[in-house]
Every structure is written in C-alpha cells, then in structure tokens.
Amino acid sequence: MKEIYSFNVEVERTVEETSTKKRKNKDTGKMEEVSVAQEVKKEVPVKIILREPNRRQLEEADMEYSIEMSKCIKRGILTKAMLAKKYSDSGGLLSEEDAQFLTRKYSELGDFQNKYTRLSTKPKKTKSDEDKLKNMLGEMAEKRREIVDMETSYSSLFNHTADTKAQNRVLLWYLVNLSFFQENESEEMKPFFTAESMEDKIEEYYDLDEGGNDIFDISKDKLSTILSFWYFSSNATQEDFDKLNEDIESGNV
C-alpha cells in the first residue's frame, strides 16, 4: 500500500514479559533457572499511516469539495473569488495588485477543475486521458499553493469563505478515509474509521475526538498537519515530510 507518510507514536500498553530467576529445587536442593511471566505496563510503538489516495478517492474528494462549495454558496457565503473581486472593484483590505492576482488564479483553478471534471466522467479513458488527469491534478495543486501563499497575508479575511469551508470539508474527507494504524508488525494495518458512509465516518471522528482513543488522541494533530501539508504542496519530497515531522516534534509548528 502506497503511503503519503508514516510515523510512530508511543502508547502505554499492558504486555507480558518473561524474566529468568534462580530458585532452589525443593526435591534436589539445587539452584535452577526458571522463567517467570508477568504483566507490566510499558510504552510501545504504534505506526500511524496516511495512505496515498487512489484515482477514485481523488475524484470522490474533488466531488466532496464541489458539493460543499455549492451548499455554502446557496447559503449566501461568498467564495474567495467573489470576495477578491469585491475588494478589487471597491478597494479595501486587499491591495489592487493582490486582488487581481487572486482573481486570476481563482479563474485558472476553476478552468482546470471544469476540464478535470469533464474528462474524469468520460466512460472509456485512454492512457493519454489518464496522463492528462494526473497532470491536471498537479496543476490544480500548484494553483492552490499559489493562492494559499498569497492569502496567508489576509488569512482573517478569507477564513469564512465558501472555499475555506469546502477546503476544510475535503481535508476532513481525506483524514477519515486515509488514516490507518498498526500496533505491531505482525498485524495488518487498520483504519481509524470503519463506517461505510462519509457522514457516519464523520460521526466516528467526533466520537474518537470527544470520547477518547489513546492512539488517535496522540496522533490526530500530527495527522492533520501532515495531511494539510500534502494537500497544499504538490511537489513535496520525503525529505520535506521528514523535516515537517521534526519541526512538529520540536514544537516549531
């Protein structure tokens, strides 16, 4: 199974340990070595895995994003493009140059998303179509990264837009569908969330988040951070993820 990234966390478990002790044999009177098993509590490593999404999951996540965007717009929540256009026309917190840049990038991203949707729904795809879909995913990720880089300076302005809410929704979709753990190497990897539907998986997420699960409690923040980094960094390398992991462990993130 391909991974986005994996890391270990330490959790307390009751394990059986065997030690050797010397005892006098009652029959012979001689000292003998005997094995004694006892249960002890100790920290054991658990592997946390973010699974790499397959083509179908990427398409489902993209659809989840579009559905959430549509819901937000129907409720009257402005998109980032609408907000940027508003400030571009009337002035305000955004500089004219930055507003025009964002408006252009939103338009380019929208064009790629429309082309991707049309091609992904094609019944019979050729090898060329599959290559185009892969390239378009990379282009969309790059457009999102450029937008995020610019929006960082105006984060409070864009926090409550339809795009941000849809983005948060798709990140949650990835989290509940791609998060696995493995308690020891002899066991198979298990999903944190086992429900069939997205809504039921989200209910599981809140149950784990609020009800307590020692493995998820320890790993959820790092899982979310690494997942967000992957989503917005189309060309991230293994070294980039390792550096991010080190920064998280040292408290620099």
Side-chain angles (χ1 to χ4, degrees):
M1 183 177 68
K2 292 184 178 180
E3 302 175 0
I4 293 174
Y5 194 69
S6 61
F7 57 90
N8 288 334
V9 296
E10 298 287 328
V11 296
E12 187 179 84
R13 289 286 184 266
T14 300
V15 298
E16 187 176 273
E17 288 191 341
T18 302
S19 58
T20 302
K21 295 184 178 180
K22 287 188 176 183
R23 289 180 180 174
K24 181 182 288 187
N25 188 302
K26 294 180 180 179
D27 296 326
T28 64
K30 295 181 179 180
M31 298 299 293
E32 297 178 340
E33 287 190 349
V34 294
S35 296
V36 179
Q38 59 181 350
E39 291 187 339
V40 297
K41 288 186 176 181
K42 63 184 298 184
E43 297 289 318
V44 297
V46 175
K47 185 178 182 181
I48 308 298
I49 307 103
L50 267 175
R51 184 176 183 175
E52 184 176 312
N54 57 35
R55 175 73 61 192
R56 182 177 179 179
Q57 288 175 316
L58 289 170
E59 291 176 357
E60 288 177 359
D62 192 60
M63 181 62 70
E64 192 73 26
Y65 183 93
S66 299
I67 291 170
E68 189 66 18
M69 275 281 284
S70 179
K71 287 180 181 178
C72 289
I73 292 170
K74 286 180 181 178
R75 293 171 186 160
I77 302 172
L78 293 178
T79 67
K80 292 177 180 179
M82 293 174 184
L83 199 58
K85 182 67 166 60
K86 176 182 177 182
Y87 281 107
S88 178
D89 293 341
S90 62
L93 295 177
L94 276 170
S95 70
E96 183 178 353
E97 182 180 349
D98 289 349
Q100 290 175 352
F101 173 86
L102 286 172
T103 300
R104 184 172 67 256
K105 292 301 175 183
Y106 292 138
S107 177
E108 293 172 359
L109 179 59
D111 288 342
F112 271 109
Q113 287 172 330
N114 289 334
K115 290 177 183 176
Y116 181 86
T117 301
R118 287 197 298 270
L119 186 57
S120 65
T121 55
K122 185 177 176 181
K124 293 183 179 180
K125 301 182 184 68
T126 64
K127 177 65 167 59
S128 176
D129 291 335
E130 293 292 347
D131 290 340
K132 286 179 181 177
L133 285 170
K134 184 177 180 180
N135 290 334
M136 279 191 275
L137 282 172
E139 291 286 351
M140 286 190 288
E142 179 62 23
K143 298 299 178 189
R144 290 191 187 104
R145 186 192 61 76
E146 291 176 330
I147 289 170
V148 169
D149 287 346
M150 174 59 71
E151 287 176 354
T152 300
S153 303
Y154 303 98
S155 57
S156 62
L157 182 63
F158 292 101
N159 275 345
H160 304 290
T161 58
D163 306 64
T164 298
K165 294 182 182 299
Q167 217 167 68
N168 291 339
R169 176 74 178 189
V170 80
L171 285 170
L172 180 57
W173 190 96
Y174 278 128
L175 182 66
V176 299
N177 283 284
L178 304 181
S179 301
F180 291 74
F181 68 96
Q182 184 180 30
E183 293 213 43
N184 62 67
E185 293 182 357
S186 64
E187 293 184 0
E188 292 185 359
M189 287 180 288
K190 302 174 184 177
F192 276 109
F193 309 97
T194 58
E196 291 295 325
S197 71
M198 175 62 178
E199 295 305 323
D200 288 341
K201 284 185 178 182
I202 290 177
E203 284 302 315
E204 279 188 298
Y205 169 82
Y206 287 121
D207 288 342
L208 287 182
D209 192 41
E210 296 169 6
N213 174 291
D214 54 354
I215 300 175
F216 187 66
D217 284 346
I218 295 170
S219 58
K220 63 182 178 182
D221 290 339
K222 185 182 285 190
L223 274 171
S224 298
T225 301
I226 291 173
L227 184 60
S228 296
F229 180 71
W230 166 79
Y231 183 72
F232 293 113
S233 305
S234 57
N235 299 314
T237 64
Q238 178 71 28
E239 289 73 21
D240 294 327
F241 283 106
D242 288 339
K243 178 63 168 60
L244 175 62
N245 188 36
E246 291 174 7
D247 288 341
I248 295 171
E249 289 295 323
S250 61
N252 294 327
V253 174

